[in-house]
Amino acid sequence: MAARRLTLLLGMVVMLTVHAELQLPSEIHVASEVWEGHTNADGTGMGWDILREVFEPAGVALRLQSVPYTRAVGLVQRGGVDAYVGAYRDEVDEGVYYPRWHYDGDQISALGLKDKPAPALDQLGELRLIWMRGYEYQRYLPNVRHYREVRRHSGILGMLDQGHADFYIDARVEIEVLLAQVAQEVRDRYQVTDLAWLPLYLGFADNSRGHALADLFDQRMAQLVEAGTLRPIFERWQQPYPFD
């Protein structure tokens, strides 16, 4: 009788395992804003390389879509895609499911004119800040009271020059891309001050498919970090390794 119960138990374990495997999608549809060197529209970039290493050895093909950030979030919330890239944890209250593991991190910095004192975290409440629409930095930086969201990078330097804002907040790499688009004599008018480091996540759709993919993501990230498999990707793209 005991042997029979053991056989039945093993059979149930096998069936549950097969069922779980059948529920795992064959591809993951991921949306992202185009961030140079991270999620390029042509499929190159460190972020895309990391996600390929996470999903493709597990039999899940990576399908990419380049859209503005707020549209990527909306697509996930509506179930139009499986995940979006570059999320800060819990930045969206509904329709998004966050995994345990981050895949990268942002050095959040402030861009301002050199004739202004460099900002400190405990002084942010006194300053007028701007950042890109949907980035939700007020959730992660302390004492923020006066902020405005902008839709385009093109007018940011002008807002700082004309005194419409004290500092522009963004990931340092994005600030460097912005400054690289102007002449050196223009760049020399500005300073960049590091404020905080924030881990970056995938934001998954809050449905059974998204949960299954998030579980796989967590399993694979734990394996890859323990094995050191991701370190060469960060070295190749000359970015700091966020798992030490």
Side-chain angles (χ1 to χ4, degrees):
M1 184 65 71
R4 184 169 180 270
R5 285 199 298 268
L6 180 59
T7 300
L8 288 173
L9 180 60
L10 290 174
M12 290 177 64
V13 171
V14 170
M15 286 191 295
L16 288 172
T17 301
V18 171
H19 179 72
E21 290 175 352
L22 291 174
Q23 294 302 308
L24 192 63
S26 61
E27 71 171 14
I28 177 171
H29 188 181
V30 183
S32 177
E33 183 164 326
V34 174
W35 289 304
E36 184 178 342
H38 191 79
T39 50
N40 298 328
D42 63 2
T44 60
M46 188 182 76
W48 295 140
D49 285 351
I50 292 170
L51 297 189
R52 288 191 185 93
E53 189 65 42
V54 169
F55 289 106
E56 292 187 348
V60 179
L62 194 61
R63 180 180 165 202
L64 314 178
Q65 182 175 350
S66 296
V67 295
Y69 187 75
T70 52
R71 176 163 169 73
V73 176
L75 284 170
V76 168
Q77 291 177 305
R78 295 190 296 272
V81 300
D82 297 311
Y84 71 98
V85 175
Y88 299 129
R89 190 173 184 87
D90 300 328
E91 69 182 4
V92 178
D93 296 324
E94 296 181 358
V96 178
Y97 179 75
Y98 297 94
R100 295 189 308 274
W101 277 90
H102 61 283
Y103 75 92
D104 194 11
D106 270 347
Q107 175 62 63
I108 306 304
S109 303
L111 173 69
L113 293 169
K114 281 185 177 178
D115 60 7
K116 289 183 175 292
L121 280 176
D122 59 359
Q123 300 171 336
L124 294 182
E126 306 167 12
L127 302 172
R128 297 167 301 155
L129 308 175
I130 54 174
W131 54 69
M132 295 301 296
R133 181 171 176 260
Y135 283 15
E136 299 290 329
Y137 286 127
Q138 77 276 9
R139 291 176 177 256
Y140 308 98
L141 298 175
N143 308 315
V144 171
R145 291 198 296 270
H146 312 293
Y147 66 91
R148 177 180 173 185
E149 296 182 326
V150 297
R151 293 178 178 269
R152 297 179 180 86
H153 290 92
S154 55
I156 289 170
L157 297 184
M159 292 182 70
L160 297 175
D161 289 339
Q162 296 167 24
H164 297 317
D166 297 316
F167 292 95
Y168 169 63
I169 307 296
D170 207 341
R172 187 179 184 99
V173 292
E174 290 301 301
I175 292 176
E176 291 171 352
V177 169
L178 176 65
L179 292 177
Q181 299 171 0
V182 298
Q184 183 64 50
E185 59 267 24
V186 176
R187 292 199 295 272
D188 289 342
R189 299 205 303 264
Y190 301 95
Q191 63 179 340
V192 181
T193 305
D194 292 337
L195 297 174
W197 188 89
L198 295 179
L200 287 175
Y201 295 84
L202 291 185
F204 289 88
D206 192 9
N207 53 36
S208 58
R209 178 183 171 101
H211 286 210
L213 289 166
D215 288 344
L216 174 63
F217 174 82
D218 279 331
Q219 293 167 15
R220 289 286 298 148
M221 284 298 298
Q223 295 167 358
L224 295 172
V225 171
E226 182 178 3
T229 307
L230 297 178
R231 190 181 294 274
I233 297 177
F234 286 87
E235 292 175 349
R236 184 163 66 248
W237 289 96
Q238 300 180 335
Q239 294 299 316
Y241 187 66
F243 303 110
D244 284 332

